[in-house]
Each structure stands twice: as structure tokens, then as C-alpha cells.
Amino acid sequence: MQTENKIIFWGTYDIGKPRVRLLVQAAQALGYQTVQVHSHVWRGVEDKSQITSWNKKLKVLWHLLLAYPILIVKYWRTPKHKHIVVPYLGLLDVIVLWPWSKLRNAKIHWDVFLSLYDTVVNDRKIISKHHPLAKLLYRIELLASKLATSCFLDTPAHAEYFGSIYKLTHKKISWVPVGVEADNFHRNSALPKIDLNNIKVLFYGQFIPLHGLDTIVNAAKLDLDNDKRINWLIVGKGQLSKQIDDRIAQENISSIRRLEWVDYKELNNLLQSCDICLGIFGTSNKAKSVIPNKIYQIMAAGKPFVSARTAGLKPLCLEKNIAVRLVREGSHKELLDGIYNLAESIAECPDEMLEATRAMPIVNAEAIASHLDKLFTTP
């Protein structure tokens, strides 16, 4: 019984991400004792795809080479257990851990979270699929997915997509939602009174293709050239920062205000300061398959929002929620119409809209636990 009650979290995962903290909390909510065997090789790296210089790559590789012997020794000293969770970014972790897990007869559950190969090659298009590094990355990720007992991602659509890339069986692949650290977000007792001639719209996130920032900027330009009803706050940085900022400056889109980042603890205040939040509008397969962290945060904060209608969002059952507008991905005209329509509904029916925001699901650690339980109890 003592063996069954232990879950080991092992690897070089990024402890700065809510995903890892929520998985640990979910395991603890199920009654498991969690043991973390961890080396923080990603300290100070928010966007791992932006490690482009050879100096930075070699530095990460050096940290990994130093970390793995220590992690293996620490793993060997852990109490008896049946399950190991390897959080994102764990493809090398899985390969290194696999022989040692076999010696201890333990199952590896890999939180893929996202395919590094698909992100670098298909979504962000950093390298071509014909590049030798892309082929190497594919083979490494394939090997990790075969060695792990199970692989899980954040939505059924994303799990199915990852499974199709590596031809994994349905038994091998599953999903566990990202969720939200609910204690960091709260819902106000009323929605702020909206000014239809000064609609405050918020986007925040990493500047990556998945978010569809060009679509947002196109919508802002269209509004500025015609109705001039929206003030946009765009918060974030990343791969596309320079491209987006240069475009805003060159086209003089004065209705957009930019912030590079806000502290995580200030995120709820930022959300409460706007009228409408934005989700994602990218057109890649990955964009159509995921539910980004911010959607869960927006719902926990009780804010109306507009996002692309995707297969990834289906588990949230938001189609009939009047505080949500789902639009065609990549369409700036539909995005703008969605904002106008949602703003008018907020102005006309504030009480009904408030009730609709309260009906949005809060996917906290307890909700995540039910998915994790299936993972640990499946033979």
C-alpha cells in the first residue's frame, strides 16, 4: 500500500509554469504523497524556442549533462513507487530515466504538453522539416513517446494530433487539462460599466504564431480606420515581438498600447481592468488543438472573451455561453465583429452577462485530479 501511495515527479522541468504546480496539487488531492526529483536547467528561460545562439544551446546542454547523473542518483534513493510523472519539457528526461524506471518496475507518464518537433517545425516554422535538426528532433520525440508508459497532453484534440504524428495507440495517449491556479484569480461582484465608444480589449501571452497576433493587429487597424471604438492593450513578448511592434509603429496604430509583461501576481488585476479579453486566433494544427493557460485564467476571473472556434475548446462547452464569442480562426473581420457584438450585449444585458461569466467552468487542481486519476489507475 505504501508503494501505491507515492508519485515521483522527475526531471528538468520548468517549475515556473503553473502546469507543473497544478499537476503536483492534483496528485496530492488524490491522496498521493509526491516526491519531486528536479534540476532547474531552464531558470530564466521563458521561451525555449528562442535559445538560438550556440552559446546558449551549449550552456543548456552542459547543464543537462551535469544534471542527469545527480537526478539518477536521487531517483535511486526515492521511496518505493509505481508511477513517475515526467513534466514538460521532458523528451530527453524520459529517455534517460527509462532504464532506471524499468529496474524499479515503475511506469513513466510523460506530460508532453506540446510536441517540440511540431512547435519548432510546423507551428513556429523555425526550421524546415527537411533540416537535419528537425529529423533528429522527430526521432528523439518518437523514441521518448515509445518508451513512456503513457503520454498525455492538454486536450483530446491535441492528444489525438500528437498521436497521429507518432502513430501512437489510443491506449498510449490521453489528456489532462492545463487548468488554473484558482487562488490567484477571483470574480468581481459586477462587470465594469462598458463605454461602447471606448471598449477596453486585452490580449496577453507569448508572441508566438499560435496566438494569431497578426489577426489582432489587423482587427485593430480596421477599427481605427473606421469606427475607432476600441482601445487595445497587448501584453507580452517572444518570437514575433519585433515583427509586431515594428508593424504597429509603421502603420501608426495608435489605439494599441503595449506592455512587455506583467507579474503573474498582478494578472488578475490586469484582467479586471478590461471589458473583453482575447484568446487565440492562429491557424496551425496546434492552434486548433490546444486550450491555452490564459483561457482558464480568463474564465476563473469571470471575464467575457472572444477566441477562435476550435476543436481544442470543445471540452469547455462554451458554444451557448453568451459571455463568449467564438469566431473563425485567422479572420480579423469576425474577431472585430465578435468584440462589437459582445460589447453591445454587455451594455444591454449586464446582469445576464454576469451570470454567464459565473457559469464558466473553473478548472482547478481538483478538476484536474479526476483526469490524473484515470491515468494512474488504467492498467
Side-chain angles (χ1 to χ4, degrees):
M1 193 68 184
Q2 289 299 313
T3 306
E4 306 238 354
N5 200 37
K6 305 286 192 305
I7 300 290
I8 309 299
F9 284 78
W10 191 91
T12 58
Y13 49 90
D14 187 348
I15 58 174
K17 302 298 184 186
R19 172 68 161 180
V20 177
R21 296 193 294 267
L22 283 163
L23 287 174
V24 172
Q25 291 169 22
Q28 291 170 349
L30 291 169
Y32 290 102
Q33 295 177 27
T34 58
V35 178
Q36 293 198 54
V37 180
H38 171 257
S39 180
H40 199 351
V41 303
W42 303 107
R43 184 178 285 108
V45 182
E46 288 294 332
D47 186 352
K48 296 165 187 63
S49 72
Q50 294 303 289
I51 303 175
T52 52
S53 72
W54 279 106
N55 282 342
K56 290 181 179 179
K57 290 175 182 176
L58 289 172
K59 185 178 179 181
V60 170
L61 182 60
W62 175 247
H63 285 162
L64 285 170
L65 290 174
L66 290 176
Y68 282 132
I70 297 170
L71 287 171
I72 291 166
V73 171
K74 287 183 177 180
Y75 173 68
W76 206 247
R77 294 173 178 172
T78 57
K80 289 184 178 181
H81 56 277
K82 284 192 174 182
H83 301 283
I84 312 162
V85 174
V86 175
Y88 171 83
L89 174 69
L91 65 169
L92 289 178
D93 295 354
V94 170
I95 295 168
V96 171
L97 177 62
W98 180 77
W100 308 100
S101 70
K102 284 294 179 185
L103 289 172
R104 298 196 64 175
N105 197 29
K107 297 178 179 180
I108 297 177
H109 306 284
W110 178 25
D111 177 21
V112 181
F113 189 57
L114 56 84
S115 163
L116 191 60
Y117 168 81
D118 180 59
T119 298
V120 171
V121 175
N122 298 323
D123 185 57
R124 303 196 189 183
K125 302 186 186 304
I126 295 171
I127 56 176
S128 161
K129 67 179 181 180
H130 303 295
H131 194 287
L133 284 178
K135 294 178 180 180
L136 176 62
L137 185 55
Y138 179 89
R139 286 178 172 83
I140 292 172
E141 203 161 68
L142 173 65
L143 177 60
S145 66
K146 298 297 184 183
L147 293 180
T149 308
S150 69
C151 305
F152 63 96
L153 292 94
D154 61 318
T155 71
H158 202 187
E160 184 177 344
Y161 176 55
F162 181 79
S164 70
I165 294 174
Y166 295 111
K167 298 179 174 58
L168 304 178
T169 65
H170 287 292
K171 186 177 180 181
K172 170 82 94 170
I173 201 85
S174 61
W175 71 285
V176 177
V178 172
V180 62
E181 294 178 299
D183 290 344
N184 291 316
F185 299 87
H186 67 266
R187 296 173 173 180
N188 285 347
S189 57
L191 296 176
K193 189 173 181 180
I194 193 167
D195 180 351
L196 293 178
N197 292 311
N198 183 25
I199 306 165
K200 291 177 285 187
V201 172
L202 169 68
F203 167 88
Y204 69 94
Q206 285 184 313
F207 276 39
I208 55 178
L210 177 145
H211 285 137
L213 279 151
D214 271 330
T215 300
I216 296 170
V217 174
N218 288 340
K221 185 75 165 63
L222 184 60
D223 173 73
L224 188 63
D225 290 344
N226 294 280
D227 297 277
K228 299 180 180 177
R229 296 171 57 188
I230 301 174
N231 278 309
W232 310 75
L233 175 57
I234 298 181
V235 180
K237 58 183 177 179
Q239 178 188 349
L240 302 177
S241 290
K242 187 178 187 306
Q243 176 185 321
I244 295 298
D245 287 338
D246 286 351
R247 186 181 166 199
I248 292 170
Q250 289 164 8
E251 298 183 26
N252 193 28
I253 308 175
S254 56
S255 59
I256 294 179
R257 183 163 66 97
R258 283 280 287 115
L259 288 176
E260 273 209 345
W261 209 245
V262 295
D263 188 82
Y264 182 62
K265 294 179 181 178
E266 296 299 319
L267 196 48
N268 187 78
N269 292 334
L270 182 71
L271 287 163
Q272 299 304 339
S273 70
C274 73
D275 298 315
I276 293 171
C277 297
L278 300 180
I280 61 173
F281 305 93
T283 57
S284 67
N285 285 326
K286 180 181 171 185
K288 295 174 186 178
S289 302
V290 303
I291 303 176
N293 209 355
K294 65 178 176 178
I295 293 293
Y296 292 105
Q297 293 167 348
I298 290 166
M299 294 193 301
K303 300 301 296 186
F305 70 91
V306 183
S307 193
R309 179 182 289 104
T310 65
L313 278 178
K314 283 185 178 179
L316 298 179
C317 302
L318 295 171
E319 289 281 351
K320 295 182 180 179
N321 190 303
I322 62 169
V324 179
R325 295 294 182 274
L326 300 178
V327 300
R328 181 162 50 95
E329 68 272 7
S331 173
H332 66 283
K333 292 181 179 178
E334 284 199 22
L335 166 56
L336 194 57
D337 287 342
I339 293 170
Y340 289 157
N341 182 269
L342 185 54
E344 288 161 6
S345 296
I346 294 170
E348 293 169 6
C349 314
D351 293 338
E352 290 87 343
M353 198 62 62
L354 179 64
E355 287 304 312
T357 62
R358 288 175 174 170
M360 293 175 180
I362 298 178
V363 184
N364 56 17
E366 286 71 26
I368 295 168
S370 63
H371 294 267
L372 212 54
D373 190 40
K374 293 177 185 176
L375 203 66
F376 295 150
T377 54
T378 299

